[in-house]
Amino acid sequence: MSTPVDERRLDAVFMSLADPTRRGILARLAEGEATVKELAEPYAMSMQAVSQHIRVLEQSGLISRGRYRQTRPCRLEPAVLEAAVSWIEESRRVWAERMDRLEAHLARLQEQDPGQEPDPAQRAGRGRGGAER
């Protein structure tokens, strides 16, 4: 059984990952720590805009900031990413199992009456008792 996921944290992680600039920042931090100035270099945006992206990543827990002399380098927090990956893998497993069960059910229907294609309404889940158009 999987560990329960903090839904708010997961929402924040996926919201953070939805932006290409933030994904780029994470990719850079996967190579090692970097300052805000270093993270801003590849982007044609203000330091303030990059700082806002970093703040979103920090609030989601994907990155943290330390202290080194006069700088505050950013670092990737891989455990938070691993939690998101775990959620994705668990969801994929559940959906794969559901698809396997559906395929098995359709195969059983075909075996019962091999000469007849299943009714399109049944394939769409609108068999007896279902919604009609």
Side-chain angles (χ1 to χ4, degrees), residues 17 21-30 57 62-63 76 81:
L17 294 173
T21 300
R22 291 192 284 267
R23 290 193 305 271
I25 290 170
L26 291 174
R28 167 53 185 87
L29 291 175
L57 290 166
L62 287 167
I63 67 170
L76 182 65
L81 270 177

Side-chain angles (χ1 to χ4, degrees), residues 62-124:
L62 287 167
I63 67 170
S64 62
R65 294 178 73 177
R67 285 214 181 274
Y68 180 74
R69 297 182 183 160
Q70 299 298 318
T71 64
R72 296 195 60 212
C74 300
R75 74 179 56 87
L76 182 65
E77 294 298 334
V80 175
L81 270 177
E82 289 169 12
V85 167
S86 176
W87 182 88
I88 290 168
E89 288 174 349
E90 177 66 17
S91 296
R92 188 207 56 76
R93 186 190 61 75
V94 166
W95 282 103
E97 287 175 0
R98 288 178 181 174
M99 291 302 294
D100 290 346
R101 287 195 309 266
L102 177 60
E103 287 176 6
H105 175 70
L106 292 175
R108 282 191 303 275
L109 289 176
Q110 284 287 53
E111 289 171 7
Q112 290 172 2
D113 194 357
Q116 182 179 358
E117 286 290 317
D119 180 2
Q122 286 179 328
R123 282 194 311 225

